[in-house]
Amino acid sequence: MHISFQSITGQELQNFCNDVKAVLSIAVVEQFGIPSFPTRRSSDLATVYNIYANGEKAGGVALRINDVTHRNSMDLFYLYPEFHGRGLGYHAWKMIEGMYPETEVWELVTP
């Protein structure tokens, strides 16, 4: 399976948030709300990607990358249900680690 990431900007951020709303359970959305993620302009803002499997959009991820402390976080990760159980999450995580090899600590946010 070929996995790729596409950086999200502009109107695509709203589409990302709409996807999150559709994919995450109602209980999670009611408890935590729908996040809004600005494009990355500094180490404190989110870097947001769509995730593709074999060219088909499979989900998304929001990362906070701190270029100073190298303590980064995965604030949100989701896959569409039809992509569950294929090992895509594991491979996507390995790719993320490869994209940010300077990371000393990853913090994972789980609702």
Side-chain angles (χ1 to χ4, degrees):
M1 177 178 305
H2 173 74
I3 300 169
S4 60
F5 291 83
Q6 179 185 16
S7 184
I8 297 174
T9 60
Q11 176 57 36
E12 293 169 331
L13 288 172
Q14 184 59 50
N15 295 339
F16 180 88
C17 290
N18 290 340
D19 280 352
V20 170
K21 183 177 181 181
V23 173
L24 297 181
S25 73
I26 297 300
V28 171
V29 171
E30 287 176 357
Q31 172 111 14
F32 297 99
I34 300 295
S36 89
F37 297 100
T39 55
R40 185 172 182 227
R41 291 189 187 100
S42 75
S43 61
D44 292 334
L45 301 179
T47 301
V48 184
Y49 297 99
N50 283 325
I51 300 171
Y52 291 86
N54 297 327
E56 186 177 353
K57 188 174 169 186
V61 63
L63 307 170
R64 292 197 188 268
I65 306 302
N66 188 313
D67 297 322
V68 176
T69 67
H70 302 291
R71 293 182 63 93
N72 300 329
S73 67
M74 178 189 284
D75 291 349
L76 185 67
F77 177 84
Y78 71 92
L79 296 174
Y80 297 131
E82 60 266 30
F83 289 94
H84 291 183
R86 299 184 187 181
L88 179 59
Y90 171 79
H91 291 290
W93 175 248
K94 288 302 197 183
M95 286 187 68
I96 290 166
E97 287 183 317
M99 291 164 59
Y100 300 96
E102 70 286 350
T103 301
E104 294 176 13
V105 175
W106 277 106
E107 296 175 356
L108 304 180
V109 176
T110 55

